[in-house]
Amino acid sequence: MSAMNKKVSSEGEEEALGMRSETLGESGCSGKVKRGQAILVAYLIATLELTFLFMQMGVMPYLAKSLGLDSVGFGYLQTTFGVLQLVGGPMFGRFADQFGTRAALILSCASGSAFFLLMSISTSIPLLFLSRLPAVFMHGLPGAQKLITDLTTPSQRADALGKLGLCFGIGIIIGSALGGVLSTTFGIFVPVYVGLVGNLINTMIAMVWIPLQAKPKSDHHVTKHGNMFSIREILCLMKFPGVMEVFIVKVFAGLPIGLFLIMFSIISMDFFGLEAVESGYLMSYFGVLQMVVQGLVVGKLTNHCSERTLLRLSVFVFAGVGLGMALMRTVWHYCIIAVPLVFSFSMLGTITDSILTKAVPSSDIGTMLGICASVQPLTRTVGPTIGGVLYKQFGVSSFGYLQLIVNIGLFVYLLKSKIPLREMKSQ
């Protein structure tokens, strides 16, 4: 029976690949090449969008200060961005399910263009706040994830999604460095102009190189054309077997560390005593770690271990990271802890995204990815308040102890629970 099931699963994956080839207008080897090209374009779009996003993050505090915005007002500006991304994630996913991945990526890139255009003419505080509005549909990473899930089999999905973390690492390193160099050498608005031109180019790339229909033809008849803004229809996905359990793990496993990272700019100055340049080096170190882990480690492990095992492993390592942070005293300690921290973050994000997209119908994959994309904006929205209280009242070690307690609880839960997962490994 086991051999028969594997054979049926393998035949199903081959049939799905054939359908994807037909969708791209090719067959056989040529179809595989077309799929590969489309996936590479998705990686390129995600890398460029993240680069421009991190580039503006570096200059935004200085732009806000030049317009007379104080630290409290800047906090409101960041919260506004987080709330818009939080609300827009599921809506963007629904849009991708109903109108296609190509249309969704074009929408994301066009929204990025509007974002930088409004930012480039922000000569007052109200205009600066208005420039955040297009962020509601700036979701290039979930868009790229949606294209990858459409063009890969379930057994290939975790590895392909994991490589998007490589794009994230490149975006951090190049975006942070480029923003600083351009603003220092040519002026504070120059990175904004570069972001505007870059997003317009990204829009053209999406229009020309992303296939009109990436999803297999057999999936189109199940696509639902309900209300894109229906919260009830979006939340219905949580009722599928295993979805709510895995999503809870996704949200809470990295939440304490997420709170710490949000407060890191303050912690780096007060606790570690770092200068701005040294903090920049530390961010670059994180970017390199992200690239190494996502590019070399995650893919290898997903090919050899089940997703259930990797989910438990990431939570267990996260608990160890919490213990290390609780005992951390110097920046060198943090540099050591950063290795398992980046591994856990990368593995947890990749594996949970892969599991959740397999647990829902193919017509709802975009919506599910949109919900997943809302986790980080949620942390950014509540993080400054909760993280500020933890840091002020209990110190840096409180983040570590909270991380340890939460993940020990989640690890025990994962060991005892029987969450239904579609176990598939690459052969």
Side-chain angles (χ1 to χ4, degrees), residues 241-281:
V243 170
M244 179 61 79
E245 294 91 334
V246 174
F247 187 73
I248 288 174
V249 173
K250 182 180 183 69
V251 171
F252 287 102
L255 181 60
I257 292 293
L259 299 177
F260 171 83
L261 293 176
I262 285 172
M263 299 299 298
F264 186 73
S265 58
I266 295 173
I267 292 171
S268 64
M269 290 187 293
D270 295 347
F271 187 76
F272 293 132
L274 300 181
E275 299 292 336
V277 175
E278 295 168 327
S279 294
Y281 291 151

Side-chain angles (χ1 to χ4, degrees), residues 318-333:
F318 250 149
V321 168
L323 179 61
M325 288 186 63
L327 302 174
M328 177 177 65
R329 293 295 178 267
T330 70
V331 68
W332 296 110
H333 293 162

Side-chain angles (χ1 to χ4, degrees), residues 12 41 83 128 161 235 251 308 312 316 342 386 400 421 425:
V41 171
V83 170
L128 191 61
L161 289 175
L235 294 180
V251 171
R308 188 186 301 274
R312 289 171 177 170
F316 180 76
V342 170
I386 300 175
L421 302 180
K425 295 183 290 184

Side-chain angles (χ1 to χ4, degrees), residues 72-125:
V72 176
F74 183 70
Y76 290 145
L77 186 69
Q78 295 293 80
T79 301
T80 300
F81 183 83
V83 170
L84 287 169
Q85 289 255 293
L86 174 64
V87 173
M91 289 195 299
F92 178 84
R94 291 275 291 171
F95 181 90
D97 285 332
Q98 295 186 15
F99 299 100
T101 308
R102 180 173 179 268
L105 281 170
I106 292 172
L107 173 64
S108 175
C109 297
S111 298
S113 302
F115 176 87
F116 280 98
L117 177 62
L118 289 171
M119 195 172 163
S120 69
I121 59 173
S122 294
T123 54
S124 64
I125 293 174

Side-chain angles (χ1 to χ4, degrees), residues 264-425:
F264 186 73
S265 58
I266 295 173
I267 292 171
S268 64
M269 290 187 293
D270 295 347
F271 187 76
F272 293 132
L274 300 181
E275 299 292 336
V277 175
E278 295 168 327
S279 294
Y281 291 151
L282 200 56
M283 286 297 294
S284 297
Y285 170 66
F286 260 88
V288 171
L289 279 180
Q290 178 96 10
M291 291 169 61
V292 171
V293 170
Q294 294 278 187
L296 301 177
V297 179
V298 173
K300 298 289 185 182
L301 287 177
T302 55
N303 288 338
H304 294 90
C305 303
S306 71
E307 291 179 337
R308 188 186 301 274
T309 300
L310 293 177
L311 181 61
R312 289 171 177 170
L313 175 64
S314 61
V315 171
F316 180 76
V317 175
F318 250 149
V321 168
L323 179 61
M325 288 186 63
L327 302 174
M328 177 177 65
R329 293 295 178 267
T330 70
V331 68
W332 296 110
H333 293 162
Y334 183 60
C335 287
I336 296 170
I337 295 167
V339 177
L341 190 158
V342 170
F343 169 80
S344 299
F345 247 131
S346 302
M347 184 62 73
L348 183 75
T350 300
I351 292 302
T352 51
D353 285 350
S354 178
I355 292 171
L356 291 170
T357 54
K358 294 174 188 176
V360 299
S362 61
S363 57
D364 291 314
I365 285 177
T367 306
M368 190 71 252
L369 287 171
I371 294 173
C372 292
S374 296
V375 173
Q376 285 190 356
L378 174 64
T379 306
R380 286 200 300 266
T381 302
V382 304
T385 302
I386 300 175
V389 171
L390 282 174
Y391 180 56
K392 186 176 181 180
Q393 297 295 328
F394 306 104
V396 172
S397 61
S398 62
F399 296 100
Y401 286 120
L402 183 60
Q403 179 76 11
L404 175 63
I405 293 168
V406 169
N407 281 275
I408 286 177
L410 290 174
F411 184 69
V412 172
Y413 170 70
L414 288 173
L415 286 177
K416 291 188 174 182
S417 66
K418 296 181 179 179
I419 302 173
L421 302 180
R422 288 183 59 190
E423 295 287 0
M424 289 188 180
K425 295 183 290 184

